[in-house]
Amino acid sequence: MSERELLHTDRVLVVEGKYDAARLSHLTDALILLTDGFGIYKDKKRQQLFKTLAKKNGLILFTDSDAAGFRIRTYITNLVGAEHVVQAYVPAIHGKEKRKPQPGKEGLLGVEGVDDAIVLQALKDALGAEAGAAAPRPEGRAITYADLYNWGLSGTPGSAERKYALLNALGLPPRLSKKELVEALNRLYRFEELDAFQAAFFASV
């Protein structure tokens, strides 16, 4: 699917695992965040990030159609408030993902296993009139991978420790991938604001 065919939305798309995220990254330009399965129950910083982004942009919950998926969906909806959430559902289709040696406990395909057309239709149904609306560009200059390098958060000696310290100070989950981090930072901060914050923070530690 070419870039011009990606489904556009300003909402943050929440899925269960990395294979779901990898699959959906080819179908939409939405910021995609993971629950890490039931890990969301104990990850207070990820919970806070979901709450913040839900109020700022809104969420699309797109979990599997099995019982576990619905438990996670209900938990996050209650966590952030139903008014900030739209629900995307995959139909209960029996089958097995190619990467798995055997089907899941309920024998249903997850988000990663259903056809592209079904995934896109589920997202469009959830978004309704919002579907296809281009996400607004961040005010001012966008935060980039080069900024993470220049701030010593990626690709430099001690970058992992610096990244952990800064994310902890910002109240963000330390396990965000580089892609998730850049996209989340662009949703939450202007470049100038974060540049000044990180400089002051590292000067004080």
Side-chain angles (χ1 to χ4, degrees), residues 83-154:
E83 68 274 17
H84 301 303
V85 172
V86 297
Q87 308 284 351
Y89 299 96
V90 289
I93 300 173
H94 287 272
K96 178 185 75 68
E97 281 83 12
K98 293 179 180 178
R99 68 178 179 85
K100 296 180 179 178
Q102 58 189 21
K105 185 166 66 173
E106 297 180 35
L108 300 175
L109 290 175
V111 171
E112 67 170 287
V114 298
D115 293 339
D116 286 355
I118 295 175
V119 170
L120 286 170
Q121 190 59 55
L123 292 174
K124 290 175 181 177
D125 288 346
L127 289 166
E130 295 180 27
R137 299 178 65 84
E139 293 181 10
R141 180 169 85 67
I143 297 164
T144 67
Y145 292 133
D147 295 322
L148 298 187
Y149 178 83
N150 291 334
W151 293 335
L153 307 179
S154 174

Side-chain angles (χ1 to χ4, degrees), residues 4 6 17 31 45 75 80 82 125 133 155 162 175 177 190:
R4 68 177 181 275
L6 292 175
L31 166 58
K45 290 184 177 178
Y75 178 82
V80 306
D125 288 346
R162 285 173 65 89
R175 292 179 56 202
S177 70
R190 293 180 296 107

Side-chain angles (χ1 to χ4, degrees), residues 16 35 42 69 71-72 75 98 103 116 128 131-132 141 144 166 169 171 174 180 183 192 198 200:
E16 293 181 52
T35 71
K42 296 182 179 180
R71 282 177 59 193
I72 294 168
Y75 178 82
K98 293 179 180 178
D116 286 355
R141 180 169 85 67
T144 67
L166 183 64
E180 288 176 330
E183 293 185 351
E192 295 79 8
Q198 66 83 27

Side-chain angles (χ1 to χ4, degrees), residues 15-86:
V15 297
E16 293 181 52
K18 63 181 182 180
Y19 294 103
D20 299 327
R23 171 74 187 289
L24 288 165
S25 67
H26 300 292
L27 302 176
T28 176
D29 60 2
L31 166 58
I32 302 172
L33 295 178
L34 314 181
T35 71
D36 287 331
F38 291 130
I40 186 63
Y41 290 4
K42 296 182 179 180
D43 193 335
K44 300 300 183 184
K45 290 184 177 178
R46 190 167 292 259
Q47 290 174 20
Q48 186 56 51
L49 178 61
F50 282 8
K51 289 179 183 178
T52 301
L53 290 172
K55 291 179 180 178
K56 183 176 173 60
N57 299 102
L59 304 184
I60 310 170
L61 296 187
F62 202 15
T63 59
D64 292 347
S65 55
D66 58 10
F70 272 86
R71 282 177 59 193
I72 294 168
R73 183 189 296 275
T74 300
Y75 178 82
I76 296 173
T77 300
N78 292 335
L79 176 73
V80 306
E83 68 274 17
H84 301 303
V85 172
V86 297

